[in-house]
Amino acid sequence: QDLASLIERFKYVRVLDSNPHTKVISLLGSIDGKDAVVTAEKTHFIFDETVRRPSQSGRSTPVFFHREIDEYSFLNGITDLKELTSNDIYYWGLSVLKQHILHNPTAKINLIWPASQFHIKGYDQQDLHVVRETPEMYRNIVMPFIQEMCTSERMKWVNNILYEGAEDDRVVYKEYSDRNKDDGFVVLPDMKWDGINIDSLYLVAIVYRDDIKSLRDLNPKHRDWLIRLNKKIRTIIPQHYDYNVNPDELRVFLHYQPSYYHFHVHIVNIRHPGVGEERGSGMTILLEDVIEALGFLGPEGYMKKTLTYVIGENHDLWKRGFGEEVEKQLKHDGIATSPEKGAGFN
Ligand code: M7G
């Protein structure tokens, strides 16, 4: 099965979401009678060559500029240009650019097939709410949910990467020894990255140890391990990309709730703003902040912390009790949810 033949057989059902800001659209459909989710994202402008020149301030971070020597580069590639309006010193119009599958493809296309209800709901538009997840809520609601989410079927892609050589040709770094399994991890391009443009670099580091499902399982005993992991990530990745991205240009973070409950770290170029939050739900916490917090969180670490984040109504946790908890929390705090219930302060 290759992507092109699957997309050809895709039968459209409805639009799940479309975002003019991120230039992403997600469609629900089916392929051979099974649910499928197609996501398309307009790619960032690509120039033929990225050249580094030392910054004027003498700081180590270089300034990028693009040498436009290629027929597909932005200016040279304009095949059609129509002015809409001008006003004083301002001009705007629309254009068509020459495109090429290797040099400057139009869009990055992701397909999930067969897609489960979890996938579909994850991409579907939904109302969002701020919730405080207390340690009790974690124990009573989240833990049983995580257990159900850790089926071997759902984790297959992770195990394929760790043990079956999947995506092997794209692996950036791998460290593993039987003697020291806990320190082992793999770094490779995330599915979210087009793999071309360093400005939108997005990698994921997946650890071999499987005793940490999420942020919640981290306690001070993990602190040194995380410090080592952070240090390795920030050393290896700039090296691998020939310092086209520097150690202090990487945003290294975790998601909570994650989509997959096997410890992994997101690594993103800071030039790609707000990435990781495009879905609007969950929280993003920098690895550095985690390390810092473990220094004073007490022996049980994140197990004892209340975590405040955004949850969507499509998330399973919403109907498993988070919806009711949000109402209870507002009531407890004395915050009215509508004018009839009496707005204002007492
Ligand atoms: P998360 O924080 O659990 O979920 O991160 P979210 O970011 O989707 O909310 C999991 C990360 O793994 C995401 O950044 C995914 O894009 C990425 N990812 C998911 N899958 C199924 C794959 C895959 O098969 N290969 C690679 N390379 N990355 C994946």
Side-chain angles (χ1 to χ4, degrees):
Q1 301 278 18
D2 77 331
L3 182 60
S5 74
L6 288 167
I7 294 290
E8 227 168 81
R9 296 192 329 260
F10 182 86
K11 292 209 176 65
Y12 166 81
V13 175
R14 70 184 169 91
V15 175
L16 291 169
D17 204 358
S18 113
N19 183 331
H21 178 65
T22 56
K23 314 266 188 286
V24 174
I25 189 165
S26 299
L27 305 179
L28 173 67
S30 69
I31 298 171
D32 303 347
K34 289 181 201 142
D35 288 334
V37 175
V38 172
T39 304
E41 177 186 354
K42 284 255 172 79
T43 47
H44 188 54
F45 293 98
I46 293 167
F47 294 83
D48 187 60
E49 202 176 359
T50 303
V51 185
R52 289 157 56 79
R53 118 189 118 189
S55 77
Q56 316 248 304
S57 64
R59 206 179 114 57
S60 62
T61 307
V63 175
F64 284 80
F65 75 98
H66 300 288
R67 208 161 46 168
E68 298 172 24
I69 54 169
D70 168 279
E71 63 189 294
Y72 300 102
S73 67
F74 165 57
L75 278 180
N76 298 341
I78 296 176
T79 55
D80 211 345
L81 177 61
K82 189 168 175 292
E83 181 176 307
L84 288 172
T85 318
S86 68
N87 180 350
D88 185 36
I89 58 170
Y90 306 99
Y91 307 80
W92 57 99
L94 296 171
S95 72
V96 174
L97 304 179
K98 199 185 254 182
Q99 312 222 289
H100 186 279
I101 191 72
L102 294 178
H103 298 275
N104 59 349
T106 315
K108 174 168 159 292
I109 293 179
N110 281 21
L111 169 70
I112 305 177
W113 181 75
S116 70
Q117 284 309 305
F118 282 110
H119 293 120
I120 297 168
K121 283 190 285 183
Y123 285 92
D124 214 345
Q125 268 180 346
Q126 55 186 319
D127 285 333
L128 304 172
H129 303 268
V130 174
V131 63
R132 289 197 298 266
E133 182 189 300
T134 61
E136 295 69 49
M137 282 164 69
Y138 176 72
R139 252 182 286 120
N140 299 331
I141 305 172
V142 184
M143 264 169 75
F145 168 71
I146 292 180
Q147 235 143 39
E148 284 174 34
M149 293 294 280
C150 285
T151 58
S152 55
E153 190 197 348
R154 228 187 120 70
M155 294 317 235
K156 192 156 187 254
W157 73 274
V158 174
N159 290 318
N160 282 350
I161 289 170
L162 293 177
Y163 303 107
E164 305 292 335
E167 303 183 46
D168 233 6
D169 52 329
R170 315 225 303 152
V171 165
V172 169
Y173 182 77
K174 184 168 181 163
E175 180 171 321
Y176 180 77
S177 85
D178 279 329
R179 261 186 311 121
N180 203 2
K181 192 178 170 205
D182 277 2
D183 261 3
F185 67 103
V186 179
V187 181
L188 76 165
D190 193 284
M191 210 167 70
K192 288 177 189 141
W193 188 33
D194 60 25
I196 300 170
N197 199 324
I198 203 96
D199 286 357
S200 51
L201 177 80
Y202 199 135
L203 306 170
V204 59
I206 305 173
V207 305
Y208 274 93
R209 62 190 295 170
D210 56 12
D211 56 335
I212 301 169
K213 303 283 178 229
S214 79
L215 179 69
R216 279 278 184 207
D217 289 328
L218 295 173
N219 64 51
K221 287 201 201 107
H222 300 117
R223 198 161 170 267
D224 289 340
W225 168 64
L226 291 175
I227 291 172
R228 286 199 299 278
L229 184 66
N230 183 45
K231 187 176 168 188
K232 283 181 203 161
I233 286 173
R234 287 186 190 277
T235 309
I236 292 154
I237 289 157
Q239 263 171 18
H240 183 85
Y241 291 97
D242 204 14
Y243 290 88
N244 279 297
V245 60
N246 285 309
D248 57 340
E249 292 171 328
L250 295 171
R251 200 193 319 269
V252 181
F253 61 86
L254 318 181
H255 275 161
Y256 191 78
Q257 301 281 338
S259 302
Y260 303 95
Y261 293 91
H262 177 113
F263 190 74
H264 58 273
V265 176
H266 302 254
I267 304 155
V268 184
N269 192 333
I270 51 172
R271 297 169 66 86
H272 198 167
V275 79
E277 285 160 25
E278 63 278 329
R279 279 212 213 160
S281 63
M283 67 189 245
T284 290
I285 176 163
L286 294 174
L287 184 57
E288 308 267 355
D289 282 339
V290 172
I291 290 168
E292 161 79 8
L294 290 175
F296 58 80
L297 268 181
E300 287 177 70
Y302 277 94
M303 220 33 113
K304 285 276 175 178
K305 200 176 176 325
T306 289
L307 299 167
T308 302
Y309 58 92
V310 175
I311 186 144
E313 291 187 6
N314 286 341
H315 201 289
D316 247 45
L317 291 172
W318 181 255
K319 31 178 210 307
R320 285 176 175 237
F322 273 48
E324 286 143 44
E325 290 292 337
V326 166
E327 267 185 49
K328 274 196 240 163
Q329 289 176 1
L330 288 168
K331 205 161 162 197
H332 172 270
D333 295 348
I335 297 168
T337 51
S338 65
E340 306 87 68
K341 292 183 187 160
F345 307 103
N346 319 319

